[in-house]
């Protein structure tokens, strides 16, 4: 009876070679996200360079054109220096609002080309804001009275501006506050109107 039993089969020998797990390539979505992050980093560098260039240009423009703007343009402006200050104070928040409104529409991850177009569209607002900022800072007198020398009282220079137009800072500030308040009120009304019409 023992001879009729079937012999047991031997186990197969283990594989001599073992292949390492091949690393899968990242998905298309992961590659797109990586490209988007790189684009954002490049854009951040460009923004930093642009801001640096703007600050340098702002300082140079203030030293070069500040006295000419206040000495030549302001007296000939409708309303004189006060009218000029009111106009500058009004354009300042308008330019800033234009920059914010255009840059807020950027979506680099979904539509980089359209976002680049919005950056280009913001340039006029940036130029208007910087020009008004040059006018404003060109009228700042030196911090210490000992620096109010003869050059400071030259035509178009900061001390001359405050002698000719003693309340120029108040007019410019009031104009800025009123226009900014009007823009904020308009933005709130537009937002409320969009919320009401959105569900319909």
């Amino acid at each position: 009876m023992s001879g009729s039993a079937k012999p047991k089969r031997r186990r197969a020998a283990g594989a001599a070679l073992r292949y390492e797990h091949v690393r899968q390539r990242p998905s298309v979505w992961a590659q797109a996200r990586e490209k988007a992050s790189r684009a954002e980093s490049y854009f951040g560098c460009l923004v930093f360079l642009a801001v640096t260039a703007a600050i340098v240009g702002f300082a140079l423009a203030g030293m070069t054109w500040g006295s000419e703007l206040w000495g030549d343009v302001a007296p000939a402006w409708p309303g004189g220096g006060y009218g000029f200050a009111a106009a500058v104070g009004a354009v300042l928040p308008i330019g800033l609002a234009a920059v914010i409104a255009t840059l807020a529409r950027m979506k680099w991850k979904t539509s980089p080309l359209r976002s680049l177009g919005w950056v280009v569209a913001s340039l006029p607002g940036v130029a208007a804001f910087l020009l008004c900022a040059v006018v404003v800072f060109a009228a700042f007198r030196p911090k210490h009275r000992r620096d109010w020398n003869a050059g400071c009282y030259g035509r178009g220079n900061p001390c001359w501006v405050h002698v000719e137009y003693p309340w120029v800072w108040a007019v410019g500030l009031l104009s800025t506050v009123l226009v900014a308040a009007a823009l904020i009120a308009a933005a709130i009304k537009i937002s409320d109107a969009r919320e009401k019409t959105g569900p319909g």
Side-chain angles (χ1 to χ4, degrees):
M1 298 297 291
S2 61
S4 61
K6 294 182 179 180
K8 294 182 180 180
R9 294 183 179 179
R10 295 181 179 179
R11 291 185 178 180
L17 298 176
R18 291 186 179 180
Y19 296 96
E20 294 183 358
H21 179 68
V22 179
R23 187 178 180 182
Q24 294 182 352
R25 295 180 61 185
S27 62
V28 177
W29 176 248
Q31 292 178 0
R33 288 178 61 185
E34 185 177 356
K35 289 181 180 179
S37 62
R38 288 180 181 176
E40 288 181 356
S41 61
Y42 293 151
F43 178 72
C45 293
L46 290 176
V47 168
F48 175 76
L49 293 176
V51 170
T52 304
I55 292 173
V56 174
F58 170 79
L60 293 176
M63 292 186 294
T64 304
W65 298 326
S67 59
E68 295 181 3
L69 289 171
W70 280 106
D72 300 334
V73 178
W77 197 270
Y82 291 121
F84 184 64
V88 171
V91 174
L92 194 64
I94 292 174
L96 183 60
V99 174
I100 294 174
T102 50
L103 295 183
R105 294 176 176 268
M106 295 189 310
K107 296 179 181 178
W108 287 102
K109 292 183 178 181
T110 56
S111 55
L113 292 178
R114 185 174 295 180
S115 300
L116 184 61
W118 286 117
V119 171
V120 175
S122 69
L123 294 180
V126 173
F129 178 81
L130 289 179
L131 179 60
C132 292
V134 167
V135 175
V136 170
F137 281 94
F140 279 178
R141 286 179 292 189
K143 184 176 180 181
H144 303 288
R145 285 183 175 269
R146 63 175 179 270
D147 297 326
W148 297 4
N149 51 23
C152 183
Y153 286 94
R155 180 178 176 83
N157 287 320
C159 295
W160 176 90
V161 173
H162 288 273
V163 169
E164 293 290 323
Y165 316 109
W167 298 100
V168 66
W169 62 271
V171 174
L173 180 60
L174 180 62
S175 176
T176 300
V177 171
L178 292 177
V179 174
L183 290 174
I184 292 172
I188 292 174
K189 287 186 178 181
I190 293 172
S191 178
D192 291 342
R194 286 180 178 177
E195 288 180 359
K196 290 179 181 180
T197 58

